[in-house]
Amino acid sequence: AGVLGPWVTQLDSANHEARCWLDGQGDLATAPTVLVAEDGPVWTRALAGRDVDCAAVASVLEKLGAKRMVLGHTVQPSGITSTCNDTVWRIDVGLARNYMGPIQALEVWAGKTPTVVNGERLP
């Protein structure tokens, strides 16, 4: 998941369309593009791997007035990872039993660097 390219200028309308559709308004047989587009905020995997375009990330963050993006949706087998000087955090650790990922959470406090908090899986 994540915001890239033209989606940065469409977030308000995309959020509105998705919220309305999820609330049962409009044509329920056809999900809004934001929820199904391969390059959209829900499905893109462009920020989940090794080859992340950090310049594109910096541009998006600047346009959004944000410091970082926190992403889910693509399991990081070794646990929470970051890239682009900690401006992209990938937090899908695969908690489901079929992945058996580590028990981790990202703690984010205003004015502080995000911290990975580790836990343990109970028997």
Side-chain angles (χ1 to χ4, degrees):
V3 178
L4 290 171
W7 290 102
V8 73
T9 61
Q10 300 172 29
L11 285 182
D12 288 338
S13 62
N15 279 333
H16 178 75
E17 288 176 27
R19 185 174 57 250
C20 289
W21 185 80
L22 290 168
D23 192 35
Q25 300 173 34
D27 179 7
L28 298 181
T30 305
T33 303
V34 67
L35 298 179
V36 296
E38 287 187 29
D39 70 339
V42 176
W43 289 105
T44 185
R45 304 258 199 249
L47 302 175
R50 291 186 181 143
D51 298 325
V52 175
D53 183 347
C54 293
V57 168
S59 175
V60 166
L61 291 174
E62 182 180 345
K63 289 174 184 172
L64 292 174
K67 293 180 182 178
R68 67 186 65 88
M69 275 191 256
V70 179
L71 317 173
H73 191 68
T74 302
V75 173
Q76 303 295 303
S78 62
I80 292 173
T81 62
S82 68
T83 190
C84 300
N85 296 317
D86 293 342
T87 60
V88 175
W89 287 87
R90 295 144 332 175
I91 64 167
D92 188 337
V93 296
L95 288 177
R97 288 193 191 275
N98 59 321
Y99 290 110
M100 292 303 288
I103 305 299
Q104 293 182 322
L106 185 67
E107 187 174 61
V108 180
W109 291 94
K112 295 186 178 181
T113 302
T115 304
V116 176
V117 178
N118 293 294
E120 60 184 75
R121 192 174 294 275
L122 299 175

